[in-house]
Amino acid sequence: MGFINNIFKPEDGEEYAEEYDGKETNKNKKEEYRNKTILVEPRAFSEAQQIADYLKAKNQVVVNFKRVTSDVSKRIMDFLNGIVYAIEGSMQKLGPGIVICAPKGFEIEGNITDDDTKKTKKADTGEW
């Protein structure tokens, strides 16, 4: 018993005090966002990396493209398709310009249908 106690005992002259204030101090920022659904409205392509970081941290992300142009939304969608493929996740359209991306382990069930008249208008304007 004395041997084990000596291993964990502080050296002579050293003080060993462990304080606990009820908060985890080693909490990683990525762990703060684990297993959540995060809503994002990107304003530029540069925000796509943040969305990818959320997905890599095992979060679902709902992306609303209403604040970006059609060209930027297509670039972000291409980027997200690559990320979702790489993490073996899934992606589904929720509505006009809104998608949900989920990492592996999350299931997206059900379908949301568009009105047929809206589909033809979107095809004419180049939006998806």
Side-chain angles (χ1 to χ4, degrees):
M1 259 333 234
F3 175 75
I4 292 178
N5 287 339
N6 288 335
I7 290 176
F8 297 106
K9 218 178 201 180
E11 296 291 323
D12 289 340
E14 286 183 29
E15 289 186 26
Y16 181 74
E18 187 175 308
E19 294 181 24
Y20 180 70
D21 60 358
K23 296 180 183 177
E24 282 188 49
T25 55
N26 295 333
K27 203 169 202 183
N28 187 334
K29 190 167 189 169
K30 285 185 180 179
E31 289 177 5
E32 289 179 23
Y33 296 108
R34 185 162 298 238
N35 296 323
K36 293 187 178 184
T37 301
I38 300 172
L39 308 176
V40 180
E41 288 183 337
R43 295 177 185 201
F45 178 76
S46 60
E47 295 179 45
Q49 184 175 356
Q50 180 64 49
I51 299 168
D53 290 341
Y54 290 141
L55 288 166
K56 287 178 6 182
K58 307 285 186 213
N59 297 298
Q60 294 184 94
V61 183
V62 176
V63 185
N64 185 347
F65 292 100
K66 76 177 186 179
R67 297 193 186 270
V68 293
T69 64
S70 177
D71 291 340
V72 173
S73 68
K74 287 177 186 176
R75 288 184 64 204
I76 294 173
M77 277 297 294
D78 288 343
F79 182 78
L80 292 179
N81 275 316
I83 294 297
V84 168
Y85 175 79
I87 64 171
E88 298 179 18
S90 58
M91 182 185 293
Q92 185 173 338
K93 184 177 178 180
L94 296 178
I98 302 173
V99 296
I100 184 168
C101 305
K104 184 178 180 178
F106 283 86
E107 290 184 33
I108 300 173
E109 289 187 16
N111 290 316
I112 297 177
T113 57
D114 285 336
D115 190 15
D116 289 335
T117 57
K118 290 182 181 177
K119 284 185 179 180
T120 56
K121 286 183 182 179
K122 286 182 191 175
D124 294 340
T125 62
E127 294 181 22
W128 48 273

